[in-house]
Amino acid sequence: MAMLLAAGQVAAQDEDEVSEDVFIMGAWADPADCNQQNAQLVSFSTLASDFQTMLGACVAVDGYWSGRALFSSAKAANSDRSNVSRRLRQQRVGLYAQRDAIGEPPDNPTRTTFVGRVGECESQWPGAMMVMGYCHYAGGPILLVSQAIAR
């Protein structure tokens, strides 16, 4: 029998704690530990291309929020199937956040700064039976969000 877990505050360093019978329904970073005051500011292009060297780091990154992802540009965010298209993989970072804290995604791509811990779909929850959200449909870098600041 599988256990259903709405994983809250699951940071990059917690990945070993997930067992095979767990469904990851949501995750985010704790704003007390990772926030605008202690985050390292990184450019979108650096995060998208060099995320593996930053796994677990608390960062702040600016981009265009659309759906379950942050994009390098409004044009990329407005593209067909932008949240899952392979051609946009280097122009997109998946988002995991507590919706009560950041709200729902905007109707149109909106320039937003996100603060959170860097992760990767393929290695974040290696023992999980299923991961819902962005990583269910796409791969690559993700941000476990603690704060969102509209620009």
Side-chain angles (χ1 to χ4, degrees):
M1 179 174 195
M3 179 176 79
L4 180 63
L5 173 69
Q9 298 186 27
V10 177
Q13 57 269 47
D14 294 332
E15 62 194 25
D16 293 333
E17 296 175 18
V18 176
S19 66
E20 292 179 0
D21 57 350
V22 173
F23 288 82
I24 302 298
M25 300 293 290
W28 56 87
D30 184 349
D33 295 329
C34 177
N35 53 60
Q36 196 172 8
Q37 286 69 43
N38 65 5
Q40 174 189 355
L41 184 61
V42 297
S43 70
F44 187 92
S45 61
T46 298
L47 179 59
S49 64
D50 201 26
F51 68 93
Q52 290 177 326
T53 65
M54 294 182 256
L55 292 175
C58 176
V59 302
V61 61
D62 191 55
Y64 292 85
W65 182 17
S66 180
R68 297 177 178 172
L70 189 66
F71 294 85
S72 59
S73 69
K75 182 180 177 181
N78 274 322
S79 296
D80 261 355
R81 302 176 39 83
S82 64
N83 275 239
V84 296
S85 173
R86 285 186 182 265
R87 66 183 164 70
L88 294 173
R89 194 166 172 129
Q90 293 293 318
Q91 299 175 53
R92 174 182 68 220
V93 173
L95 299 173
Y96 279 86
Q98 187 177 26
R99 292 287 180 215
D100 292 345
I102 68 164
E104 292 297 318
D107 292 335
N108 296 305
T110 302
R111 190 166 174 207
T112 307
T113 298
F114 282 97
V115 177
R117 296 215 178 265
V118 179
E120 177 184 28
C121 287
E122 293 80 0
S123 63
Q124 189 68 37
W125 303 284
M129 179 181 285
M130 182 177 292
V131 178
M132 301 306 290
Y134 178 83
C135 292
H136 187 76
Y137 302 100
I142 57 173
L143 194 65
L144 301 170
V145 176
S146 58
Q147 295 177 303
I149 303 113
R151 296 289 177 209

